[in-house]
């Protein structure tokens, strides 16, 4: 190499390394990558911690990305809740319909409450009525069935 090429090469390497360091220090870019990988909690935490240090332009972008992350995480949690609710009702319904002696008589209460939470008032009412008709139910659970 010639002497003139060495300083130019050093300058190019310094510019490249500075750009790489800046990209690594950019919480917005890092959070966006985490978001793309569906690591919502990590991305949100990163942006929340970085917000006070960002300038106004970056802060506005970070808030937009943070809002998107929160929305996506909420959608995910809502989907999990719906799936869990359906699974819970299905499981409790199977328990309530089994003729096995010794099963919990309170399964009808839990099933009625789950159905009521889902908005199925007619079906929930049927299970509340069954529980109120059961003579072996404790008074506290009978009161819950009355309220239901």
């Amino acid at each position: 190499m010639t002497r003139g090429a060495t300083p130019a090469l050093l300058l190019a390497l310094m510019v490249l390394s500075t750009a790489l360091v800046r990209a690594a220090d950019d919480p917005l870019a890092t959070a966006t990558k985490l978001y793309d990988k569906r690591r919502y909690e990590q991305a949100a935490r990163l942006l929340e911690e970085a917000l006070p240090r960002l300038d106004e332009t970056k802060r506005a972008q970070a808030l937009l990305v943070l809002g998107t992350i929160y929305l996506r995480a909420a959608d995910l949690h809502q989907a999990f809740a719906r799936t869990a609710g359906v699974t819970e009702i299905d499981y409790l319904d199977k328990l309530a319909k089994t003729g096995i002696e010794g099963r919990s008589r309170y399964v009808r209460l839990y099933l009625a409450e789950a159905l009521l939470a889902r908005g199925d008032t007619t079906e929930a009412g049927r299970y509340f009525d069954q529980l109120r008709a059961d003579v072996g139910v404790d008074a506290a659970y009978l009161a819950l069935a009355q309220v239901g």
Side-chain angles (χ1 to χ4, degrees):
M1 271 197 202
T2 65
R3 271 185 173 252
T6 306
L9 182 61
L10 286 175
L11 181 61
L13 287 174
M14 286 175 37
V15 168
L16 182 61
S17 66
T18 304
L20 291 174
V21 168
R22 290 187 83 127
D25 288 342
D26 183 15
L28 189 57
T30 306
T32 303
K33 287 178 185 175
L34 288 170
Y35 171 80
D36 290 340
K37 293 178 183 178
R38 294 180 178 88
R39 295 169 73 180
Y40 306 126
E41 189 174 320
Q42 286 176 309
R45 192 173 329 116
L46 176 70
L47 283 179
E48 288 167 350
E49 291 171 0
L51 275 176
R53 298 186 317 263
L54 297 175
D55 63 26
E56 286 301 314
T57 306
K58 285 284 191 181
R59 185 174 296 138
Q61 291 173 338
L63 288 172
L64 180 63
V65 171
L66 191 58
T68 305
I69 292 167
Y70 288 157
L71 184 60
R72 180 55 98 178
D75 288 343
L76 184 63
H77 285 283
Q78 187 179 31
F80 284 149
R82 278 194 309 270
T83 303
V86 168
T87 304
E88 175 189 25
I89 289 172
D90 185 48
Y91 176 71
L92 290 172
D93 187 46
K94 286 179 182 173
L95 279 178
K97 290 179 179 175
T98 60
I100 300 172
E101 199 59 39
R103 76 163 185 259
S104 173
R105 63 177 26 118
Y106 301 108
V107 72
R108 290 188 301 262
L109 175 64
Y110 304 134
L111 179 57
E113 289 175 341
L115 288 167
L116 190 61
R118 189 175 77 179
D120 192 349
T121 56
T122 305
E123 191 70 13
R126 188 169 67 85
Y127 284 106
F128 281 129
D129 290 342
Q130 288 177 6
L131 190 68
R132 284 193 299 266
D134 192 341
V135 294
V137 175
D138 291 339
Y141 295 105
L142 191 58
L144 288 173
Q146 294 287 22
V147 170

